[in-house]
Amino acid sequence: MSDITQDGPMLAADGTPLKKSLARALRRQKIRALMLIAPLLIFVLVTFIAPIADMLFRSVENQIVRDTLPRTVVALKDWNPDGEEIPGEAVFQALNLDFQIAAEEKNHTKLGSRLNYESPGISSVFRSTGRGADKIGKDAEKTFTGIDPRWKDPAIWAGIFASPEAETALPRSARAYEAFAKSVRAEGKKEVAKAKLWPVVFSALLDDLTLAQPDAAAVAALPAPGPELVNAALAAGLQPIDAKQAFLEINDGWSKLDLWQTISAYSPPYTAGYFLNAADFEQTSHGIEARPPSERIYLKLFWRTLWMSMTITACCILLGYPVAWLLANLRASTANVLMILVLLPFWTSLLVRTSAWKVLLQQQGVINDLLVWMGLVSDGNRLVMINNQFGTIIAMTHILLPFMILPLYSVMKTVPPSYVRAAKSLGATPWTAFWRVYFPQSIPGIGAGSILCFILAIGYYITPELVGGTEGVFISRYIAYHISTSLNWGLAAALGTILLAAVLLLYYVYDKIVGIDNVKLG
Amino acid sequence: MKLTSILLASSALTLAAGAASAIDLTFVSWGGAYQNSQLKAYAEPYMAEHPDVHIAWDESSAEAVAKLRAMNEAGNVTWDLVDVTVSDSIRLCDEGLAREIDFDTELAAAPDGTSATDDFGATLINDCFVPQIVYSTTFGYRTDLVGDTPPTSVCDIFDLQKYPGKRSLQKRPIDNMEWALYCDGVAEEDIYNVLGTDEGVDRALKKLDTIKDQVVWWTAGAETPQLLADGEVVFGSTFNGRLFSAIVEQNQPIAMLWDMQSYDIDGWIVPTGLDAEKEAVVMDFLKFATDTQRLADQAKYISYGPARASSAPLVGKLDGTDIDMAPHMPTDPANATNVHRYDYTWWADHRDDLDAKFQAWLAQ
């Protein structure tokens, strides 16, 4: 025996090293196991993990500014946001094209609401400008059709911009026309050569012909009647658009430094702005600053969510432990009846249970009436037990109690009663027998129940909302508010990410202290 | 054998033909008595005339904007007609999620020939929104808890000496900030100018501070009627239709305080990107459901005022009873002596900002 091991690695029957062949067999087994769980794994990935990851990604995503105002963002790079001056004509020229295109594509208000999260009032500037901006293009259209009515014909435009020279000769118009053509094609109702032109293409053409001398060779190479039309327009002595003045006339919001600082600060494709916001900070032109005290809410809510969830979990342990012990130690027939009482709330609608607490706890409610009737409380001084933190803790403890009792019960069921008897017969007092012998064996149940209760509590929404008043609501209320009311999905995602991170962190700490192997669900 | 196969094939063909001509539509509304009024006044008569159209309801209006946005991103819009509030319609229209409507050609004119635009008048807020009802957020009070001098002004809410006890207010800045400023001496037409400044916000919150510890904050429309019925609060704000059912249908000792009621409008939007066939049916339904008679019919089932001026004279009695609906409408002249018109666009811009301040104030 010892000779073989000294000669080399142990070999399997077919001559390959045993280690390798074992690894192969195990791998095959693993793949088979993986194949078995593949349907579930793929299902979870596609319907659960991927959407959540996508949603969380929104907390840093900020492509919308450069997608909607691409030229303006580039032009703004030369502007000093810390100065006293709003940007100059070059930025407004870029804005003119970007904004008119965005307004045709109906993207401008989306950006307006995005920037409104950072600086209130921007949304209405964008909305009202969207209604007026095409006037600039319409004026340009009049100028060109005045020179030659053929400019009005979409077919001529289609002909000119089909050629590759158009990009060199008339770069801005080519860009604007491309956006127009793309939108018409996407709508699919009309041919591009027949659809009504967007006014912005004329304003882009005017920019091309007035802001710089177009490349003569490229113009000459345009398909007919391009060169003829362009040269006639050039000869007519065109006046450039005063974009800055035009925009300030449409809405004087564009003269506000704050608006430009916001656009400039939020032009990068990714932002920490949502996370800063979720932690009561804000990004200003001077860097990151704490929000004014009158607007700080989120840190307070996170903290409240954490400590109240812990309190609720602790209440569940206190109330659930004796019940679970009774369940595990009573005769089976009695225990079954008790079990039904534990499970009954499970089968009742959550809203019904929450509303029942309202009836019980309110100032004209059952408990107060009873206390007044017994003379413990005077009629004028009825206790306030709802619409505050007390109400939330009571109602949530009741709702989450089964999640504590069931794991505790299943663990206690496995603790042999003979251990406690043995401890007692060896002279332990009932307390020592319980504390030194019974309790340590039930800890895995407490662990499992606590994790369940805590994680459920931290994300609870409807119960705190209904019975919590102002003091007893959780951060989940704000996640819901930003998802469905304010539509600030980025901020909702940031709040959700922080909550998820906090839960994972606590889970890690819990694992270090209690050990996740000590958790038993049954 | 041959016969059965022919029979089978022909029955399959008729089935297929039946399926092809039937049109299934999904309408979205708020559920409850309101959705029921729409079912009775619009959908059932329409389906009776068009047996091939089948309408299913989805009670998701509260999350309509978020859901439509998500559906649009996923490229799969499954709703055909959506009931929303004005402020939601502004956002949907802004984002291109709602179809623009040419009111005069796509909606019915009034029976006397007045164009739809003139008939709807001020209730037309944007190009996508077809108004249906005017409702208001207003106060109800317990008649047995106010002594011999029932309240007549919204500012009585802020008078703890005269009317001690709790009040319920909606847990949001909208309406509450305006009432606070109004009762602090700001004229109705100046409210939004004042509220647009930091001092104005502080002033409104300071006024609300005077009753803060006596306020129960509600989030669901059913809460205030319940709180009033239980005698938990003396005053409470809620939607006027909710108070109507508590007063008229349940005979609770509650009365309306219409002063400075805050008007709001509810109506339809058509999502963008419907296929042509469906869109034609939806637009046909919309024309039918928002004509003068149909809007007046809806008021048989719920105490919200029809959005068309021409519908008002046609409003009758509560369905199956002898109760005249007109005096219970927020638009009734006796109720509308002093109203507050809430500024949707102003709030669209300032909601987030004020909500943060309001919630921070609540938490203090």
Side-chain angles (χ1 to χ4, degrees), chain A residues 58 106 109 116-117 124 127 294 362-364 465 469 478 485-486, chain B residues 65 69 73 91 94 100 171 219 230 232 349 352 357 359-360:
Chain A
R58 288 168 196 265
K106 290 207 159 184
T109 46
N116 201 63
Y117 301 140
S124 63
R127 200 179 301 123
S294 67
Q362 63 188 6
Q363 281 191 290
Q364 308 294 327
E465 180 73 17
Y478 270 82
T485 309
S486 85
Chain B
V65 187
R69 205 199 227 184
E73 277 187 20
R91 284 189 294 193
D94 276 355
E100 286 181 11
K171 200 196 278 178
T219 45
D230 291 349
E232 276 288 293
D349 281 352
D352 281 339
K357 286 180 179 155
Q359 296 297 339

PDB file of all heavy atoms in Angstrom, chain A residues 58 106 109 116-117 124 127 294 362-364 465 469 478 485-486, chain B residues 65 69 73 91 94 100 171 219 230 232 349 352 357 359-360:
ATOM      1  N   ARG A  58     -30.738  53.352 -12.325  1.00  0.00           N
ATOM      2  CA  ARG A  58     -31.247  54.701 -12.543  1.00  0.00           C
ATOM      3  C   ARG A  58     -30.762  55.690 -11.496  1.00  0.00           C
ATOM      4  O   ARG A  58     -30.856  56.894 -11.695  1.00  0.00           O
ATOM      5  CB  ARG A  58     -32.770  54.695 -12.503  1.00  0.00           C
ATOM      6  CG  ARG A  58     -33.396  54.048 -13.693  1.00  0.00           C
ATOM      7  CD  ARG A  58     -34.866  53.839 -13.420  1.00  0.00           C
ATOM      8  NE  ARG A  58     -35.433  52.904 -14.358  1.00  0.00           N
ATOM      9  CZ  ARG A  58     -36.048  53.269 -15.468  1.00  0.00           C
ATOM     10  NH1 ARG A  58     -36.192  54.532 -15.746  1.00  0.00           N
ATOM     11  NH2 ARG A  58     -36.520  52.375 -16.298  1.00  0.00           N
ATOM     12  N   LYS A 106     -40.692  65.968 -28.535  1.00  0.00           N
ATOM     13  CA  LYS A 106     -41.372  65.957 -27.226  1.00  0.00           C
ATOM     14  C   LYS A 106     -40.466  65.441 -26.116  1.00  0.00           C
ATOM     15  O   LYS A 106     -40.906  64.719 -25.231  1.00  0.00           O
ATOM     16  CB  LYS A 106     -42.629  65.106 -27.282  1.00  0.00           C
ATOM     17  CG  LYS A 106     -43.712  65.744 -28.102  1.00  0.00           C
ATOM     18  CD  LYS A 106     -45.029  65.269 -27.605  1.00  0.00           C
ATOM     19  CE  LYS A 106     -46.107  66.228 -28.029  1.00  0.00           C
ATOM     20  NZ  LYS A 106     -47.383  65.881 -27.502  1.00  0.00           N
ATOM     21  N   THR A 109     -39.776  68.453 -22.276  1.00  0.00           N
ATOM     22  CA  THR A 109     -40.402  68.518 -20.955  1.00  0.00           C
ATOM     23  C   THR A 109     -39.880  67.432 -20.036  1.00  0.00           C
ATOM     24  O   THR A 109     -39.860  67.589 -18.822  1.00  0.00           O
ATOM     25  CB  THR A 109     -41.923  68.409 -21.067  1.00  0.00           C
ATOM     26  OG1 THR A 109     -42.212  67.338 -21.944  1.00  0.00           O
ATOM     27  CG2 THR A 109     -42.508  69.672 -21.603  1.00  0.00           C
ATOM     28  N   ASN A 116     -35.956  69.984 -12.952  1.00  0.00           N
ATOM     29  CA  ASN A 116     -36.796  70.583 -11.919  1.00  0.00           C
ATOM     30  C   ASN A 116     -36.574  69.929 -10.550  1.00  0.00           C
ATOM     31  O   ASN A 116     -36.765  70.556  -9.521  1.00  0.00           O
ATOM     32  CB  ASN A 116     -38.261  70.462 -12.330  1.00  0.00           C
ATOM     33  CG  ASN A 116     -39.148  71.459 -11.612  1.00  0.00           C
ATOM     34  OD1 ASN A 116     -39.001  72.651 -11.769  1.00  0.00           O
ATOM     35  ND2 ASN A 116     -40.035  70.959 -10.776  1.00  0.00           N
ATOM     36  N   TYR A 117     -36.171  68.640 -10.548  1.00  0.00           N
ATOM     37  CA  TYR A 117     -35.874  67.982  -9.270  1.00  0.00           C
ATOM     38  C   TYR A 117     -34.746  68.718  -8.556  1.00  0.00           C
ATOM     39  O   TYR A 117     -34.661  68.735  -7.342  1.00  0.00           O
ATOM     40  CB  TYR A 117     -35.415  66.531  -9.468  1.00  0.00           C
ATOM     41  CG  TYR A 117     -36.400  65.639 -10.163  1.00  0.00           C
ATOM     42  CD1 TYR A 117     -35.967  64.711 -11.089  1.00  0.00           C
ATOM     43  CD2 TYR A 117     -37.758  65.720  -9.873  1.00  0.00           C
ATOM     44  CE1 TYR A 117     -36.870  63.875 -11.730  1.00  0.00           C
ATOM     45  CE2 TYR A 117     -38.654  64.894 -10.511  1.00  0.00           C
ATOM     46  CZ  TYR A 117     -38.212  63.975 -11.433  1.00  0.00           C
ATOM     47  OH  TYR A 117     -39.087  63.159 -12.063  1.00  0.00           O
ATOM     48  N   SER A 124     -41.235  74.673 -15.813  1.00  0.00           N
ATOM     49  CA  SER A 124     -42.149  75.578 -16.523  1.00  0.00           C
ATOM     50  C   SER A 124     -41.408  76.404 -17.557  1.00  0.00           C
ATOM     51  O   SER A 124     -41.978  76.757 -18.590  1.00  0.00           O
ATOM     52  CB  SER A 124     -42.907  76.472 -15.548  1.00  0.00           C
ATOM     53  OG  SER A 124     -42.024  77.296 -14.858  1.00  0.00           O
ATOM     54  N   ARG A 127     -41.271  74.068 -20.451  1.00  0.00           N
ATOM     55  CA  ARG A 127     -42.574  73.827 -21.067  1.00  0.00           C
ATOM     56  C   ARG A 127     -42.990  75.034 -21.896  1.00  0.00           C
ATOM     57  O   ARG A 127     -43.401  74.896 -23.043  1.00  0.00           O
ATOM     58  CB  ARG A 127     -43.612  73.516 -19.994  1.00  0.00           C
ATOM     59  CG  ARG A 127     -44.817  72.814 -20.561  1.00  0.00           C
ATOM     60  CD  ARG A 127     -45.841  72.471 -19.496  1.00  0.00           C
ATOM     61  NE  ARG A 127     -45.306  71.626 -18.463  1.00  0.00           N
ATOM     62  CZ  ARG A 127     -45.315  71.929 -17.171  1.00  0.00           C
ATOM     63  NH1 ARG A 127     -45.828  73.070 -16.765  1.00  0.00           N
ATOM     64  NH2 ARG A 127     -44.803  71.121 -16.283  1.00  0.00           N
ATOM     65  N   SER A 294     -34.285  72.974   6.946  1.00  0.00           N
ATOM     66  CA  SER A 294     -35.721  72.845   6.735  1.00  0.00           C
ATOM     67  C   SER A 294     -36.040  71.837   5.624  1.00  0.00           C
ATOM     68  O   SER A 294     -37.191  71.545   5.377  1.00  0.00           O
ATOM     69  CB  SER A 294     -36.322  74.200   6.384  1.00  0.00           C
ATOM     70  OG  SER A 294     -35.838  74.625   5.129  1.00  0.00           O
ATOM     71  N   GLN A 362     -58.018  54.503  18.354  1.00  0.00           N
ATOM     72  CA  GLN A 362     -58.265  55.938  18.198  1.00  0.00           C
ATOM     73  C   GLN A 362     -58.878  56.543  19.469  1.00  0.00           C
ATOM     74  O   GLN A 362     -59.297  55.825  20.373  1.00  0.00           O
ATOM     75  CB  GLN A 362     -59.114  56.218  16.972  1.00  0.00           C
ATOM     76  CG  GLN A 362     -60.498  55.622  17.021  1.00  0.00           C
ATOM     77  CD  GLN A 362     -61.221  55.773  15.694  1.00  0.00           C
ATOM     78  OE1 GLN A 362     -60.662  56.225  14.714  1.00  0.00           O
ATOM     79  NE2 GLN A 362     -62.473  55.420  15.675  1.00  0.00           N
ATOM     80  N   GLN A 363     -58.916  57.886  19.492  1.00  0.00           N
ATOM     81  CA  GLN A 363     -59.303  58.548  20.741  1.00  0.00           C
ATOM     82  C   GLN A 363     -60.747  58.275  21.124  1.00  0.00           C
ATOM     83  O   GLN A 363     -61.074  58.243  22.304  1.00  0.00           O
ATOM     84  CB  GLN A 363     -59.050  60.052  20.635  1.00  0.00           C
ATOM     85  CG  GLN A 363     -57.567  60.354  20.843  1.00  0.00           C
ATOM     86  CD  GLN A 363     -57.326  61.825  21.017  1.00  0.00           C
ATOM     87  OE1 GLN A 363     -57.468  62.585  20.074  1.00  0.00           O
ATOM     88  NE2 GLN A 363     -56.955  62.242  22.213  1.00  0.00           N
ATOM     89  N   GLN A 364     -61.618  58.108  20.139  1.00  0.00           N
ATOM     90  CA  GLN A 364     -62.991  57.707  20.449  1.00  0.00           C
ATOM     91  C   GLN A 364     -63.132  56.198  20.276  1.00  0.00           C
ATOM     92  O   GLN A 364     -64.211  55.685  20.011  1.00  0.00           O
ATOM     93  CB  GLN A 364     -63.983  58.418  19.516  1.00  0.00           C
ATOM     94  CG  GLN A 364     -63.828  59.913  19.454  1.00  0.00           C
ATOM     95  CD  GLN A 364     -64.164  60.579  20.761  1.00  0.00           C
ATOM     96  OE1 GLN A 364     -65.027  60.119  21.499  1.00  0.00           O
ATOM     97  NE2 GLN A 364     -63.475  61.668  21.075  1.00  0.00           N
ATOM     98  N   GLU A 465     -48.103  53.879   6.908  1.00  0.00           N
ATOM     99  CA  GLU A 465     -48.775  54.972   6.211  1.00  0.00           C
ATOM    100  C   GLU A 465     -50.164  55.224   6.817  1.00  0.00           C
ATOM    101  O   GLU A 465     -50.583  56.358   6.966  1.00  0.00           O
ATOM    102  CB  GLU A 465     -48.885  54.593   4.729  1.00  0.00           C
ATOM    103  CG  GLU A 465     -49.551  55.597   3.844  1.00  0.00           C
ATOM    104  CD  GLU A 465     -48.687  56.817   3.590  1.00  0.00           C
ATOM    105  OE1 GLU A 465     -47.464  56.736   3.844  1.00  0.00           O
ATOM    106  OE2 GLU A 465     -49.239  57.831   3.160  1.00  0.00           O
ATOM    107  N   GLY A 469     -49.324  58.295  11.254  1.00  0.00           N
ATOM    108  CA  GLY A 469     -49.376  59.745  11.338  1.00  0.00           C
ATOM    109  C   GLY A 469     -48.170  60.361  10.658  1.00  0.00           C
ATOM    110  O   GLY A 469     -47.778  59.954   9.579  1.00  0.00           O
ATOM    111  N   TYR A 478     -41.446  57.289   1.097  1.00  0.00           N
ATOM    112  CA  TYR A 478     -40.825  58.202   0.147  1.00  0.00           C
ATOM    113  C   TYR A 478     -40.418  57.503  -1.134  1.00  0.00           C
ATOM    114  O   TYR A 478     -40.426  58.106  -2.205  1.00  0.00           O
ATOM    115  CB  TYR A 478     -39.650  58.943   0.798  1.00  0.00           C
ATOM    116  CG  TYR A 478     -40.209  60.178   1.381  1.00  0.00           C
ATOM    117  CD1 TYR A 478     -40.830  60.163   2.610  1.00  0.00           C
ATOM    118  CD2 TYR A 478     -40.277  61.324   0.614  1.00  0.00           C
ATOM    119  CE1 TYR A 478     -41.459  61.262   3.091  1.00  0.00           C
ATOM    120  CE2 TYR A 478     -40.906  62.437   1.086  1.00  0.00           C
ATOM    121  CZ  TYR A 478     -41.490  62.412   2.319  1.00  0.00           C
ATOM    122  OH  TYR A 478     -42.145  63.502   2.768  1.00  0.00           O
ATOM    123  N   THR A 485     -45.707  59.311  -7.525  1.00  0.00           N
ATOM    124  CA  THR A 485     -46.257  60.664  -7.526  1.00  0.00           C
ATOM    125  C   THR A 485     -45.306  61.681  -8.139  1.00  0.00           C
ATOM    126  O   THR A 485     -45.650  62.349  -9.092  1.00  0.00           O
ATOM    127  CB  THR A 485     -46.629  61.106  -6.099  1.00  0.00           C
ATOM    128  OG1 THR A 485     -47.437  60.088  -5.525  1.00  0.00           O
ATOM    129  CG2 THR A 485     -47.402  62.389  -6.122  1.00  0.00           C
ATOM    130  N   SER A 486     -44.096  61.770  -7.606  1.00  0.00           N
ATOM    131  CA  SER A 486     -43.211  62.801  -8.147  1.00  0.00           C
ATOM    132  C   SER A 486     -42.481  62.303  -9.384  1.00  0.00           C
ATOM    133  O   SER A 486     -41.909  63.085 -10.125  1.00  0.00           O
ATOM    134  CB  SER A 486     -42.204  63.241  -7.088  1.00  0.00           C
ATOM    135  OG  SER A 486     -41.096  62.371  -7.078  1.00  0.00           O
TER     136      SER A 486
ATOM    137  N   VAL B  65     -49.563  57.468 -14.045  1.00  0.00           N
ATOM    138  CA  VAL B  65     -48.424  58.059 -14.732  1.00  0.00           C
ATOM    139  C   VAL B  65     -47.213  57.128 -14.665  1.00  0.00           C
ATOM    140  O   VAL B  65     -46.560  56.848 -15.670  1.00  0.00           O
ATOM    141  CB  VAL B  65     -48.060  59.430 -14.132  1.00  0.00           C
ATOM    142  CG1 VAL B  65     -47.000  60.093 -14.972  1.00  0.00           C
ATOM    143  CG2 VAL B  65     -49.282  60.304 -14.062  1.00  0.00           C
ATOM    144  N   ARG B  69     -45.649  55.226 -17.928  1.00  0.00           N
ATOM    145  CA  ARG B  69     -44.260  55.484 -18.263  1.00  0.00           C
ATOM    146  C   ARG B  69     -43.496  54.165 -18.382  1.00  0.00           C
ATOM    147  O   ARG B  69     -42.729  53.964 -19.328  1.00  0.00           O
ATOM    148  CB  ARG B  69     -43.640  56.344 -17.169  1.00  0.00           C
ATOM    149  CG  ARG B  69     -42.470  57.150 -17.634  1.00  0.00           C
ATOM    150  CD  ARG B  69     -41.701  57.565 -16.412  1.00  0.00           C
ATOM    151  NE  ARG B  69     -41.359  58.972 -16.437  1.00  0.00           N
ATOM    152  CZ  ARG B  69     -40.603  59.533 -15.493  1.00  0.00           C
ATOM    153  NH1 ARG B  69     -40.176  58.813 -14.477  1.00  0.00           N
ATOM    154  NH2 ARG B  69     -40.294  60.784 -15.564  1.00  0.00           N
ATOM    155  N   GLU B  73     -41.811  52.549 -21.713  1.00  0.00           N
ATOM    156  CA  GLU B  73     -40.395  52.159 -21.792  1.00  0.00           C
ATOM    157  C   GLU B  73     -40.266  50.724 -22.263  1.00  0.00           C
ATOM    158  O   GLU B  73     -39.340  50.375 -22.980  1.00  0.00           O
ATOM    159  CB  GLU B  73     -39.718  52.328 -20.427  1.00  0.00           C
ATOM    160  CG  GLU B  73     -39.277  53.746 -20.190  1.00  0.00           C
ATOM    161  CD  GLU B  73     -38.460  53.880 -18.914  1.00  0.00           C
ATOM    162  OE1 GLU B  73     -37.922  52.864 -18.426  1.00  0.00           O
ATOM    163  OE2 GLU B  73     -38.349  55.008 -18.417  1.00  0.00           O
ATOM    164  N   ARG B  91     -48.408  65.985 -16.922  1.00  0.00           N
ATOM    165  CA  ARG B  91     -47.142  65.254 -17.069  1.00  0.00           C
ATOM    166  C   ARG B  91     -47.193  64.260 -18.216  1.00  0.00           C
ATOM    167  O   ARG B  91     -46.236  64.104 -18.960  1.00  0.00           O
ATOM    168  CB  ARG B  91     -46.798  64.564 -15.758  1.00  0.00           C
ATOM    169  CG  ARG B  91     -46.282  65.584 -14.767  1.00  0.00           C
ATOM    170  CD  ARG B  91     -45.755  64.922 -13.572  1.00  0.00           C
ATOM    171  NE  ARG B  91     -46.835  64.267 -12.867  1.00  0.00           N
ATOM    172  CZ  ARG B  91     -46.698  63.805 -11.628  1.00  0.00           C
ATOM    173  NH1 ARG B  91     -45.552  63.935 -11.029  1.00  0.00           N
ATOM    174  NH2 ARG B  91     -47.693  63.242 -11.017  1.00  0.00           N
ATOM    175  N   ASP B  94     -46.948  66.221 -21.388  1.00  0.00           N
ATOM    176  CA  ASP B  94     -45.576  66.706 -21.509  1.00  0.00           C
ATOM    177  C   ASP B  94     -44.638  65.629 -22.013  1.00  0.00           C
ATOM    178  O   ASP B  94     -43.750  65.881 -22.808  1.00  0.00           O
ATOM    179  CB  ASP B  94     -45.057  67.134 -20.134  1.00  0.00           C
ATOM    180  CG  ASP B  94     -45.476  68.542 -19.804  1.00  0.00           C
ATOM    181  OD1 ASP B  94     -46.078  69.174 -20.676  1.00  0.00           O
ATOM    182  OD2 ASP B  94     -45.201  68.988 -18.685  1.00  0.00           O
ATOM    183  N   GLU B 100     -52.502  63.844 -28.331  1.00  0.00           N
ATOM    184  CA  GLU B 100     -53.150  65.154 -28.412  1.00  0.00           C
ATOM    185  C   GLU B 100     -54.497  64.995 -29.098  1.00  0.00           C
ATOM    186  O   GLU B 100     -54.649  64.184 -30.002  1.00  0.00           O
ATOM    187  CB  GLU B 100     -52.266  66.133 -29.163  1.00  0.00           C
ATOM    188  CG  GLU B 100     -51.098  66.570 -28.324  1.00  0.00           C
ATOM    189  CD  GLU B 100     -50.200  67.574 -29.017  1.00  0.00           C
ATOM    190  OE1 GLU B 100     -50.607  68.085 -30.071  1.00  0.00           O
ATOM    191  OE2 GLU B 100     -49.106  67.829 -28.496  1.00  0.00           O
ATOM    192  N   LYS B 171     -52.299  64.755   3.958  1.00  0.00           N
ATOM    193  CA  LYS B 171     -50.862  64.790   4.229  1.00  0.00           C
ATOM    194  C   LYS B 171     -50.084  65.176   2.977  1.00  0.00           C
ATOM    195  O   LYS B 171     -49.408  64.363   2.358  1.00  0.00           O
ATOM    196  CB  LYS B 171     -50.396  63.423   4.732  1.00  0.00           C
ATOM    197  CG  LYS B 171     -49.070  63.484   5.489  1.00  0.00           C
ATOM    198  CD  LYS B 171     -48.446  62.124   5.627  1.00  0.00           C
ATOM    199  CE  LYS B 171     -49.034  61.346   6.765  1.00  0.00           C
ATOM    200  NZ  LYS B 171     -48.436  60.002   6.852  1.00  0.00           N
ATOM    201  N   THR B 219     -54.296  60.166   4.219  1.00  0.00           N
ATOM    202  CA  THR B 219     -53.748  59.919   2.875  1.00  0.00           C
ATOM    203  C   THR B 219     -54.781  59.290   1.951  1.00  0.00           C
ATOM    204  O   THR B 219     -54.679  59.431   0.749  1.00  0.00           O
ATOM    205  CB  THR B 219     -52.523  58.985   2.927  1.00  0.00           C
ATOM    206  OG1 THR B 219     -52.820  57.908   3.793  1.00  0.00           O
ATOM    207  CG2 THR B 219     -51.307  59.711   3.408  1.00  0.00           C
ATOM    208  N   ASP B 230     -66.799  58.812  13.351  1.00  0.00           N
ATOM    209  CA  ASP B 230     -66.407  58.334  14.678  1.00  0.00           C
ATOM    210  C   ASP B 230     -66.341  59.450  15.709  1.00  0.00           C
ATOM    211  O   ASP B 230     -66.099  59.193  16.890  1.00  0.00           O
ATOM    212  CB  ASP B 230     -65.020  57.673  14.618  1.00  0.00           C
ATOM    213  CG  ASP B 230     -65.052  56.371  13.846  1.00  0.00           C
ATOM    214  OD1 ASP B 230     -66.159  55.897  13.562  1.00  0.00           O
ATOM    215  OD2 ASP B 230     -63.973  55.845  13.520  1.00  0.00           O
ATOM    216  N   GLU B 232     -63.929  61.493  15.795  1.00  0.00           N
ATOM    217  CA  GLU B 232     -62.506  61.695  16.102  1.00  0.00           C
ATOM    218  C   GLU B 232     -62.099  63.130  15.813  1.00  0.00           C
ATOM    219  O   GLU B 232     -61.204  63.659  16.446  1.00  0.00           O
ATOM    220  CB  GLU B 232     -61.652  60.761  15.247  1.00  0.00           C
ATOM    221  CG  GLU B 232     -61.478  59.365  15.785  1.00  0.00           C
ATOM    222  CD  GLU B 232     -60.561  59.320  16.991  1.00  0.00           C
ATOM    223  OE1 GLU B 232     -59.367  59.589  16.823  1.00  0.00           O
ATOM    224  OE2 GLU B 232     -61.042  59.016  18.092  1.00  0.00           O
ATOM    225  N   ASP B 349     -44.410  72.508 -10.962  1.00  0.00           N
ATOM    226  CA  ASP B 349     -43.037  72.987 -10.823  1.00  0.00           C
ATOM    227  C   ASP B 349     -42.517  72.902  -9.390  1.00  0.00           C
ATOM    228  O   ASP B 349     -41.343  72.685  -9.168  1.00  0.00           O
ATOM    229  CB  ASP B 349     -42.950  74.452 -11.258  1.00  0.00           C
ATOM    230  CG  ASP B 349     -42.902  74.573 -12.753  1.00  0.00           C
ATOM    231  OD1 ASP B 349     -42.782  73.519 -13.406  1.00  0.00           O
ATOM    232  OD2 ASP B 349     -42.985  75.696 -13.263  1.00  0.00           O
ATOM    233  N   ASP B 352     -42.130  69.080  -5.658  1.00  0.00           N
ATOM    234  CA  ASP B 352     -41.035  68.367  -4.988  1.00  0.00           C
ATOM    235  C   ASP B 352     -40.402  69.211  -3.903  1.00  0.00           C
ATOM    236  O   ASP B 352     -40.141  68.761  -2.797  1.00  0.00           O
ATOM    237  CB  ASP B 352     -39.959  67.984  -6.004  1.00  0.00           C
ATOM    238  CG  ASP B 352     -40.370  66.765  -6.784  1.00  0.00           C
ATOM    239  OD1 ASP B 352     -41.230  66.029  -6.286  1.00  0.00           O
ATOM    240  OD2 ASP B 352     -39.842  66.564  -7.878  1.00  0.00           O
ATOM    241  N   LYS B 357     -40.011  70.463   2.031  1.00  0.00           N
ATOM    242  CA  LYS B 357     -40.128  71.406   3.153  1.00  0.00           C
ATOM    243  C   LYS B 357     -41.280  71.018   4.067  1.00  0.00           C
ATOM    244  O   LYS B 357     -41.176  71.075   5.292  1.00  0.00           O
ATOM    245  CB  LYS B 357     -40.335  72.832   2.623  1.00  0.00           C
ATOM    246  CG  LYS B 357     -39.064  73.404   2.045  1.00  0.00           C
ATOM    247  CD  LYS B 357     -39.273  74.806   1.537  1.00  0.00           C
ATOM    248  CE  LYS B 357     -37.968  75.350   0.988  1.00  0.00           C
ATOM    249  NZ  LYS B 357     -38.170  76.393  -0.013  1.00  0.00           N
ATOM    250  N   GLN B 359     -42.689  68.057   4.498  1.00  0.00           N
ATOM    251  CA  GLN B 359     -42.441  66.829   5.251  1.00  0.00           C
ATOM    252  C   GLN B 359     -41.423  67.080   6.370  1.00  0.00           C
ATOM    253  O   GLN B 359     -41.544  66.510   7.457  1.00  0.00           O
ATOM    254  CB  GLN B 359     -41.934  65.721   4.328  1.00  0.00           C
ATOM    255  CG  GLN B 359     -42.939  65.284   3.287  1.00  0.00           C
ATOM    256  CD  GLN B 359     -44.193  64.670   3.875  1.00  0.00           C
ATOM    257  OE1 GLN B 359     -44.188  64.213   5.001  1.00  0.00           O
ATOM    258  NE2 GLN B 359     -45.278  64.685   3.124  1.00  0.00           N
ATOM    259  N   ALA B 360     -40.419  67.928   6.083  1.00  0.00           N
ATOM    260  CA  ALA B 360     -39.456  68.263   7.129  1.00  0.00           C
ATOM    261  C   ALA B 360     -40.173  68.995   8.260  1.00  0.00           C
ATOM    262  O   ALA B 360     -39.904  68.750   9.438  1.00  0.00           O
ATOM    263  CB  ALA B 360     -38.329  69.120   6.552  1.00  0.00           C
TER     264      ALA B 360
END
